[in-house]
């Protein structure tokens, strides 16, 4: 569990030579709002969803246009049927409010293969009024416990 503000995120990316850019916008709470604020399509951004199963909490990263494939996730994790975390679980487990969870907010991360193919990943620095776009491969290399697979329908 790691809350990471904009300064900390910029430092992490800079120290690891990951190219990034910062966009400021009104607070966004879902993919359609993010797309409108950023001028992008759902297939060009990711959403970070905190899930839980019998093994505990974990993050799943998939493109904004994709839906979770709960059966595939259950098979990959081996922890029973997964479900979306409640907003109060998100805040307790990550230190940030739902809608502000970033790629580095949680140690166990499932990353969908389609998201992995994007040129940039959008990352909220624990603030849904700021988006950092980071070079995908460089950003993903910084995720300590990433598990790649087809987690979207």
């Amino acid at each position: 569990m790691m809350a990471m503000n904009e300064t900390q995120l910029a430092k992490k990316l800079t120290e690891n030579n990951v190219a990034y850019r910062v966009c400021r916008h009104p607070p966004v709470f879902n993919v359609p709002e993010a797309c409108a604020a950023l001028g992008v399509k759902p297939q060009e951004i990711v959403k970070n969803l905190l899930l839980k199963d019998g093994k505990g909490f974990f993050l799943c990263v998939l493109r904004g246009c994709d839906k979770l494939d709960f059966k595939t996730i259950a098979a990959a994790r081996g922890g029973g049927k997964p479900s979306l975390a409640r907003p109060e679980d998100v805040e307790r487990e990550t230190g940030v409010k739902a809608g502000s969870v970033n790629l580095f907010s949680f140690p166990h991360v499932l990353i969908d293969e389609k998201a992995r193919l994007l040129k940039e990943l959008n990352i909220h620095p624990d603030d849904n009024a700021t988006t950092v776009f980071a070079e995908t491969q460089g950003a993903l290399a910084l995720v300590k416990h990433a598990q790649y697979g087809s987690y979207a329908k």
Side-chain angles (χ1 to χ4, degrees), residues 10 16 20-21 32 49-50 54 86 100 102 113 118 127 130 134 146:
N16 290 281
Y20 71 93
R21 60 190 173 91
L49 303 171
L50 189 65
R86 297 173 306 178
S100 299
N102 77 51
E113 290 293 345
L118 295 173
D127 171 6
T130 303

Side-chain angles (χ1 to χ4, degrees), residues 18-19 21 43-46 63 114-122 133-140:
V18 178
R21 60 190 173 91
Q43 62 268 27
E44 298 172 326
I45 62 171
V46 297
R63 294 182 312 167
K114 292 177 204 154
R116 190 179 190 182
L117 298 175
L118 295 173
K119 182 179 175 183
E120 296 179 304
L121 289 181
N122 51 296
F133 283 93
E135 183 273 318
T136 299
Q137 296 313 314
L140 291 179

Side-chain angles (χ1 to χ4, degrees), residues 5-134:
N5 65 32
E6 183 180 342
T7 301
Q8 294 165 320
L9 178 57
K11 181 179 179 190
K12 182 179 188 85
L13 296 172
T14 300
E15 286 176 349
N16 290 281
N17 298 312
V18 178
Y20 71 93
R21 60 190 173 91
V22 178
C23 296
R24 299 189 197 299
H25 47 76
V28 295
F29 297 94
N30 54 48
V31 170
E33 289 178 10
C35 288
L38 298 167
V40 297
K41 297 175 184 170
Q43 62 268 27
E44 298 172 326
I45 62 171
V46 297
K47 54 188 171 186
N48 303 308
L49 303 171
L50 189 65
L51 300 156
K52 62 181 176 177
D53 63 13
K55 287 184 167 181
F57 290 90
F58 60 99
L59 194 65
C60 189
V61 178
L62 61 156
R63 294 182 312 167
C65 62
D66 293 329
K67 295 185 187 308
L68 289 170
D69 184 339
F70 288 99
K71 288 182 182 180
T72 301
I73 292 169
R77 291 260 307 164
K81 184 178 176 182
S83 61
L84 288 169
R86 297 173 306 178
E88 55 271 23
D89 293 333
V90 172
E91 193 164 356
R92 184 185 68 248
E93 295 294 323
T94 66
V96 299
K97 294 184 183 296
S100 299
V101 175
N102 77 51
L103 181 62
F104 308 110
S105 289
F106 211 76
H108 305 288
V109 184
L110 300 183
I111 300 168
D112 185 73
E113 290 293 345
K114 292 177 204 154
R116 190 179 190 182
L117 298 175
L118 295 173
K119 182 179 175 183
E120 296 179 304
L121 289 181
N122 51 296
I123 305 168
H124 286 301
D126 298 340
D127 171 6
N128 64 355
T130 303
T131 299
V132 174
F133 283 93

